[in-house]
Amino acid sequence: MLRVGLTGGMGAGKSTVARILSERGAVLVDSDVIAREVVAPGTEGLAALVAAFGAEILAADGSLDRPALAARAFASDEARATLNGITHPLVGQRTAELIAAAPAEAIVVQDIPLLVENGLGPFMNLVVIVDAAEETRVARLVEFRGIDEADARARIAAQATDEQRRAAADVLLDNNGANGTIDAEVHRLWEERLIPFERNLRTRTPAARPAELPVVDANPEWPAQARRLIARLQVACGADAQRIEHIGPTSVGGKPTEDVLDIQIVVADAATAEGLRDRLADAGFPRVTAAGEPGLEWRHANADPGRAVNVIVVAAD
């Protein structure tokens, strides 16, 4: 299955994008919904919170009084750690259950408000960020959610910065326009990138590309794109990778070249390189060519039609 991480700052319009993708057929895994579900009345999570913070955190109907919990849980670093120690494992467990239950050919969209803050991008096949200017977001929070302007700005300030989110984005959706203007862009994303990416990932097929890629001007985004790919490859390879680095013309920059990122993975030996074959394919980098003999390189390519990538596995011996 294809795992897509979806996030954006408060008021950016992430929920709108999630709704459209769900309507197109994505399996939506909403972290906010799960976080409420695991502490609903009668759950293990709520019982653990009451044991830790007292019955005062309960509303009259037995449900969780969130402001009362916040007053206690955020009073100290120790209390906040206790809260996270209770809820985070339960959210993680439920998230894993929902993903495991999805069909093999599913496009799973994980709606995670703190995806960037919690460094979850490397565990996704693709990260989609919904972007909107801070003033636009504040205006929406005030008008549509009834949040006080000062409170809206404080909440935005507590999240990742726009620059941090953009650095994490494989896809940046501009939602500064009027209601509905982003819809066509989301539909194009589904048709032109997510559907073929999932198919390529499932069938372990490199994304189609022309025999000769066009030469383009140097792109200042190449280093950030490479860093995101390297982080995913590190998750896939684990300790078997001695070194993963951005190589080739795009790593130098400054002059026109083909728009393809070359990433090199150095491993100990041929057996290790062969052992990475399935793990790299599962991560979205299927094998293209195998080494003819020990000491040569094994080539993989990206299954993502939106970004041409060559991954070269080299045995140190």
Side-chain angles (χ1 to χ4, degrees), residues 112-148:
I112 308 174
L114 299 181
L115 182 147
V116 174
E117 292 86 341
N118 290 333
L120 299 177
F123 300 95
M124 307 295 163
N125 298 116
L126 200 73
V127 171
V128 177
I129 305 288
V130 186
D131 188 51
E134 180 174 332
E135 293 306 314
T136 300
R137 291 157 54 202
V138 169
R140 289 172 179 166
L141 291 172
V142 171
E143 180 177 358
F144 300 114
R145 298 198 199 175
I147 299 175
D148 176 77

Side-chain angles (χ1 to χ4, degrees), residues 67-83:
L69 173 63
R72 289 165 172 76
F74 294 100
S76 68
D77 290 342
E78 181 181 3
R80 183 163 54 249
T82 298
L83 171 65

Side-chain angles (χ1 to χ4, degrees), residues 37-50:
E37 176 185 313
V38 299
V39 293
T43 61
E44 168 192 346
L46 184 59
L49 289 177
V50 171

Side-chain angles (χ1 to χ4, degrees), residues 33-47 49 58 62-64 66 69 83 86-87 90-91:
V33 171
I34 294 171
R36 291 191 292 272
E37 176 185 313
V38 299
V39 293
T43 61
E44 168 192 346
L46 184 59
L49 289 177
L58 294 176
S63 64
L64 180 64
R66 293 182 178 276
L69 173 63
L83 171 65
I86 293 170
T87 59
L90 294 172
V91 170

